[in-house]
Amino acid sequence: MSTSPLARISEAGVSVWLDDLSRNALQDGSLARMIETHHVVGVTTNPTIFAGAVSDGEAYQAQLAALAASGADVESAVLALTTDDVRSACDLFAGVYQRTGGQDGRVSIEVDPRLAHDTEATIEAARLLWRTVDRPNLMIKIPATVEGLPAITAAIGEGISVNVTLIFSLDRYRAVAQAYLDGLEQAQGAGLDLGSIRSVASIFLSRIDTKVDAALDEIGTDQARAVRGRTAIAGARLAYQVFQEIFSSPRFEALAQAGAHVQRPLWASTGTKDPAYPDTMYVDELVTADVVNTMPAATLAAVADHSPATGADTVQDRYAEAQDVVDEVLRLGVHYEEILTDLETAGVESFIASWEELLATVGGELDRAGRAQPAAGGNA
């Protein structure tokens, strides 16, 4: 095969997004090179990524010094730092956005994860981020908590494009898709252009296998070992089956006639955590049309280097196989749904911890920058 693996899966309908963003990557041209050479057509970020970026290197020092001099508090400084990076990334991806008719060229930023269980505060945070970044190719990340669902509907209803994050269960994925349709109908009622609204539903993968595999290891039978590393991919395939059902329904068809787009499934957490598994597994096994795969830089490099993906569909027509895997996991006694619920809780808690780390890092940098400023009336 003459084309690269990334080219092959892109041609098959997988949008390759990078799950990483930093000011260094924006300034040194490495992100631009990934667009040119690695078929990257979007980028996502989250509190963990921002915390790491701000802590690493000196790219933020000048802005932090200016923010300290202006008397900015920690919350407003974090807003300025993160939205400036996202706005710059939106500008970098503007050509992709135009070339793909708005489908790709997308950059995601997450609302403060401490608001994950506060619907109204999440809506207000989404509005603030949308206004502050002020770019049409932005997506606001809203967690798929119970309280997040009406926030998703409200944001879509106001014409804000949304990346729904932290989806683990099939039932929650159905609820997310319904929240999107509700939002489209609200937007239509308000006279908004449905064609300008985009959304993706981020279904997390490797974290599921980590937890389910641990339960299978405790069982320890040959039957249990036989389904290790298969649960997350099975769940993703079943989610795609639901995607096809919902977005071929008469309800969505009526919206599509008015210009609405499908809410694409997005495969998230695609870096394998078990070294026994192929490092491109969550890419190779989930190639199909109308999906996004967000890859950490290491996974992106691995796919470019040695993925066996041919571009052939590895999702459709495998629904029965996927259901068999889930059924076997349940038959073996794994508390599958409980694990998925726990993963949502843990995901929110992890992002909150990263957000608080980001606040602490920025607060420390503001203090240092402030101490470095000359006192009023003093000598420079």
Side-chain angles (χ1 to χ4, degrees), residues 1-185:
M1 291 174 284
S2 58
T3 56
S4 71
L6 289 166
R8 293 195 292 270
I9 67 170
S10 297
E11 290 166 4
V14 178
S15 289
V16 176
W17 291 6
L18 179 68
D19 192 24
D20 194 12
L21 180 64
S22 70
R23 191 162 295 183
N24 284 332
L26 287 163
Q27 293 178 346
D28 67 15
S30 58
L31 183 55
R33 286 191 293 275
M34 288 184 187
I35 296 172
E36 295 173 3
T37 64
H38 281 61
H39 299 268
V40 171
V41 293
V43 64
T44 60
T45 190
N46 60 44
T48 303
I49 290 170
F50 272 130
V54 175
S55 300
D56 184 23
E58 299 181 354
Y60 297 90
Q61 295 306 308
Q63 186 176 9
L64 283 163
L67 288 165
S70 71
D73 60 24
V74 174
E75 298 278 350
S76 59
V78 166
L79 178 67
L81 293 169
T82 56
T83 56
D84 281 2
D85 280 0
V86 167
R87 188 182 306 106
S88 296
C90 284
D91 291 343
L92 179 62
F93 279 94
V96 176
Y97 172 76
Q98 293 165 1
R99 173 170 55 81
T100 61
Q103 173 168 274
D104 288 309
R106 295 284 174 171
V107 183
S108 297
I109 186 171
E110 188 151 353
V111 297
D112 182 340
R114 296 172 299 179
L115 309 177
H117 300 294
D118 186 331
T119 300
E120 291 304 317
T122 295
I123 295 168
E124 286 301 322
R127 290 170 178 155
L128 175 62
L129 291 170
W130 187 254
R131 291 194 307 267
T132 303
V133 176
D134 192 26
R135 293 294 186 272
N137 51 332
L138 178 68
M139 277 188 166
I140 305 299
K141 293 180 80 172
I142 296 176
T145 56
V146 170
E147 298 84 358
L149 296 173
I152 294 160
T153 295
I156 294 293
E158 295 181 17
I160 297 172
S161 293
V162 175
N163 176 343
V164 184
T165 188
L166 289 175
I167 302 172
F168 294 95
S169 74
L170 206 57
D171 286 345
R172 188 57 55 83
Y173 171 64
R174 287 183 183 274
V176 165
Q178 294 302 323
Y180 174 60
L181 296 183
D182 291 345
L184 288 176
E185 288 168 348

Side-chain angles (χ1 to χ4, degrees), residues 148-344:
L149 296 173
I152 294 160
T153 295
I156 294 293
E158 295 181 17
I160 297 172
S161 293
V162 175
N163 176 343
V164 184
T165 188
L166 289 175
I167 302 172
F168 294 95
S169 74
L170 206 57
D171 286 345
R172 188 57 55 83
Y173 171 64
R174 287 183 183 274
V176 165
Q178 294 302 323
Y180 174 60
L181 296 183
D182 291 345
L184 288 176
E185 288 168 348
Q186 288 186 14
Q188 185 178 37
L192 300 182
D193 174 16
L194 299 189
S196 68
I197 302 169
R198 297 280 183 162
S199 184
V200 294
S202 298
I203 298 164
F204 280 55
L205 301 174
S206 63
R207 301 183 191 192
I208 294 174
D209 279 334
T210 298
K211 290 294 186 181
V212 172
D213 284 358
L216 293 169
D217 289 343
E218 285 188 16
I219 296 167
T221 63
D222 289 343
Q223 293 89 341
R225 284 187 286 271
V227 288
R228 289 185 89 259
R230 299 177 62 193
T231 310
I233 289 168
R237 288 171 175 160
L238 294 175
Y240 192 83
Q241 183 181 33
V242 171
F243 161 76
Q244 290 183 309
E245 292 170 0
I246 291 175
F247 291 99
S248 62
S249 67
R251 182 185 181 193
F252 178 72
E253 287 299 326
L255 291 163
Q257 289 294 319
H261 302 282
V262 300
Q263 181 189 54
R264 291 185 294 168
L266 179 152
W267 314 133
S269 185
T270 58
T272 52
K273 294 178 171 56
D274 189 328
Y277 299 150
D279 55 1
T280 61
M281 179 174 76
Y282 297 114
V283 178
D284 306 336
E285 297 295 328
L286 292 170
V287 175
T288 194
D290 293 320
V291 298
V292 178
N293 195 305
T294 56
M295 307 180 200
T299 302
L300 180 72
V303 173
D305 181 65
H306 54 258
S307 169
T310 64
D313 194 293
T314 55
V315 174
Q316 301 183 56
D317 299 324
R318 300 184 71 173
Y319 303 141
E321 172 193 335
Q323 189 62 59
D324 287 345
V325 170
V326 173
D327 290 345
E328 179 67 0
V329 166
L330 293 170
R331 188 193 67 77
L332 287 164
V334 174
H335 299 296
Y336 178 53
E337 293 298 332
E338 183 179 321
I339 285 173
L340 300 182
T341 299
D342 290 346
L343 282 168
E344 178 188 300

Side-chain angles (χ1 to χ4, degrees), residues 370 373-380:
Q373 298 294 321
N379 295 324

